[in-house]
Amino acid sequence: MKIQTIHLDEEQLIRSVVDENDLSADVRNHLSACPMCQGKKQQFERELDTLGHMAKIFAPSPRESVTYSEKPGFFEKVGFYPLLRPVLAALLIFGIILPPALLTISEEERMARLVEEMENDRQLMTEIRALEEDALPDFYQDISGEFYGYFDEEFVNFVAPMEETRIRPAGRFASSPD
Amino acid sequence: MVNKDYQVSELVENAISGDKASLEQLVSLFHEDIYRTVYYRTRSRMDAEDLTQEIFMQMIKSLPGLKNTACFKPWLFRIALNRVRDFHRKKSILNFLGTTTDVEDAGHVGTETHSNPADKVMQKEFWKQFHQFTGTLSRWEREVFTLRFLDHLGIREIAEALKKNESTVKTHLYRALKKFRQNPELRDLLKGELS
């Protein structure tokens, strides 16, 4: 009577490569005794070894070794690393986070500022109206001929006398009274 | 392996107690492994170099907090995987904002290690097939497969690095290997290399 030999199937072959100890005792015994199954397993393992070997030779070698001095960061460059952190944290809080809170003003202050702004606006409008009347600055007023503020009436009469104030000449050139 | 693990544990203990030579030895022992681990996941030599530097700086800073020195390797790989994850997260945000361009090596080509044109073609084809295959895997399947067969971590180390239990790791690995068996292109490439 011929005894039928059952070789490892595909699943058992893969499991033997993952971990031979996970196979049942019967299958393990067969594997240790069967050259054909051992050959299959070894062939499979050689393929995987070749894969690892080829990956290794086809990967470039590193160009540089590990350097032990870590590149200095900002804090290390500055020098006083342990002290600087809380200082910078405080600056951050007081310089960026708090100012909006500090800038909140009371109602009275807000009203005072509003009144001040209104007064400034009023003064500005007054100046604009004055400029509408005469846009020239004071310096140019005397050469423009449009500013007579410092000539009194006597001076004007002297330059251009009115008929009744005109001085009549005496002597032969004087006109005889009718 | 046991000797190497013992040696690593001893170096870690010495490094924790302030021995700079042990620390340097530890870094040089794992430098290339970590660099490659990062490179497999970023596909960029420059990014891999920068991240490797950051990973070891993180390792040096965090080393005094390591309780079980025997778990150093998975602990270091965990730092590396977290850094790579942060890198991809940052990159996807920058890509979304349109402020960066991809600097991945196109098919990992451009490395001066292979000046022979035939090697370059082979290298390009290998990475193309490999990424096509890993594209068929879920995130965890890909991570477990890469850690197992490219980074050469054991099941227990993978479980510790990923903070998952061993049976979960085995399940992901089984699924990944099943998909690998169903990928004739990559397997033919590997068989061609074997023969």
Side-chain angles (χ1 to χ4, degrees):
Chain A
M1 185 179 161
K2 193 180 175 185
I3 300 169
Q4 194 180 357
T5 309
I6 302 172
H7 295 292
L8 268 69
D9 61 17
E10 181 73 5
E11 187 201 322
Q12 288 166 332
L13 182 67
I14 296 171
R15 288 205 183 282
S16 73
V17 171
V18 173
D19 190 350
E20 205 175 305
N21 296 323
D22 289 348
L23 296 171
S24 66
D26 289 347
V27 177
R28 257 200 327 265
N29 288 338
H30 172 80
L31 184 62
S32 61
C34 176
M36 201 176 103
C37 290
Q38 276 179 13
K40 274 186 180 180
K41 187 189 173 216
Q42 283 166 4
Q43 170 67 23
F44 189 13
E45 284 174 337
R46 271 201 299 272
E47 279 178 34
L48 293 166
D49 286 345
T50 307
L51 177 79
H53 177 68
M54 286 177 84
K56 187 176 176 177
I57 60 166
F58 288 146
S61 300
R63 284 170 291 197
E64 53 197 34
S65 57
V66 174
T67 50
Y68 294 91
S69 57
E70 200 174 8
K71 286 175 189 172
F74 171 74
F75 290 111
E76 285 86 349
K77 278 180 190 167
V78 171
F80 41 102
Y81 172 63
L83 290 174
L84 196 67
R85 270 192 172 174
V87 172
L88 284 180
L91 279 177
L92 186 74
I93 291 167
F94 290 107
I96 297 169
I97 300 168
L98 281 184
L102 294 173
L103 286 174
T104 52
I105 54 173
S106 66
E107 187 68 16
E108 292 81 16
E109 283 174 342
R110 202 172 64 81
M111 284 304 292
R113 280 188 191 183
L114 195 64
V115 169
E116 192 182 351
E117 280 174 17
M118 285 171 73
E119 179 60 24
N120 288 341
D121 290 347
R122 195 189 60 75
Q123 281 179 4
L124 182 67
M125 287 310 295
T126 307
E127 285 172 22
I128 289 169
R129 282 194 199 98
L131 287 171
E132 277 175 358
E133 292 293 322
D134 189 354
L136 282 174
D138 292 348
F139 181 74
Y140 298 105
Q141 290 293 350
D142 56 340
I143 57 172
S144 71
E146 292 181 1
F147 185 69
Y148 306 108
Y150 55 86
F151 297 130
D152 56 8
E153 196 177 347
E154 188 183 359
F155 179 79
V156 172
N157 275 334
F158 173 74
V159 175
M162 288 173 67
E163 191 62 31
E164 57 271 25
T165 58
R166 191 175 292 166
I167 300 165
R168 293 176 189 279
R172 63 185 178 129
F173 296 105
S175 57
S176 58
D178 295 325
Chain B
M1 182 72 183
V2 174
N3 278 341
K4 195 192 171 189
D5 287 347
Y6 175 74
Q7 187 201 356
V8 169
S9 280
E10 203 178 333
L11 287 172
V12 172
E13 279 167 16
N14 292 342
I16 290 172
S17 58
D19 181 14
K20 200 182 171 191
S22 296
L23 186 69
E24 284 176 7
Q25 220 175 325
L26 211 52
V27 171
S28 96
L29 205 60
F30 286 98
H31 180 235
E32 288 207 5
D33 287 348
I34 292 297
Y35 163 79
R36 272 195 295 271
T37 295
V38 178
Y39 180 76
Y40 295 148
R41 289 156 179 84
T42 59
R43 307 182 204 178
S44 158
R45 182 186 213 172
M46 206 165 67
D47 291 331
E49 285 169 346
D50 290 348
L51 285 171
T52 303
Q53 172 74 27
E54 288 176 24
I55 289 161
F56 281 104
M57 291 318 296
Q58 176 74 45
M59 180 206 91
I60 292 167
K61 276 184 191 169
S62 309
L63 200 57
L66 180 65
K67 285 165 191 156
N68 186 0
T69 55
C71 292
F72 173 77
K73 190 178 172 185
W75 175 79
L76 180 60
F77 272 81
R78 186 169 173 75
I79 293 175
L81 296 178
N82 285 339
R83 280 279 171 172
V84 170
R85 192 194 55 204
D86 291 346
F87 166 81
H88 284 301
R89 197 174 287 164
K90 199 169 150 186
K91 196 173 163 187
S92 53
I93 291 168
L94 292 174
N95 278 338
F96 176 75
L97 297 171
T99 54
T100 187
T101 51
D102 275 343
V103 289
E104 282 183 4
D105 296 348
H108 299 255
V109 178
T111 59
E112 70 273 16
T113 46
H114 299 286
S115 52
N116 183 349
D119 284 345
K120 277 189 179 177
V121 171
M122 188 62 185
Q123 181 188 28
K124 192 173 179 180
E125 185 61 21
F126 170 78
W127 286 119
K128 184 184 158 197
Q129 293 296 340
F130 179 74
H131 292 306
Q132 273 179 4
F133 161 63
T134 53
T136 64
L137 306 178
S138 72
R139 183 196 157 200
W140 288 112
E141 287 165 6
R142 185 169 56 241
E143 199 57 85
V144 168
F145 183 89
T146 311
L147 282 169
R148 180 73 189 91
F149 297 111
L150 271 69
D151 299 315
H152 306 291
L153 265 66
I155 300 287
R156 186 177 292 173
E157 288 174 326
I158 296 171
E160 282 170 11
L162 299 177
K163 292 273 179 202
K164 297 211 172 277
N165 64 48
E166 286 185 37
S167 62
T168 307
V169 170
K170 284 179 188 172
T171 304
H172 288 307
L173 193 57
Y174 171 80
R175 286 178 190 157
L177 284 173
K178 199 172 178 183
K179 288 177 186 172
F180 175 80
R181 295 281 285 180
Q182 292 160 354
N183 189 310
E185 290 89 1
L186 181 58
R187 290 187 67 200
D188 286 347
L189 188 87
L190 298 171
K191 280 176 190 166
E193 191 68 14
L194 271 171
S195 58

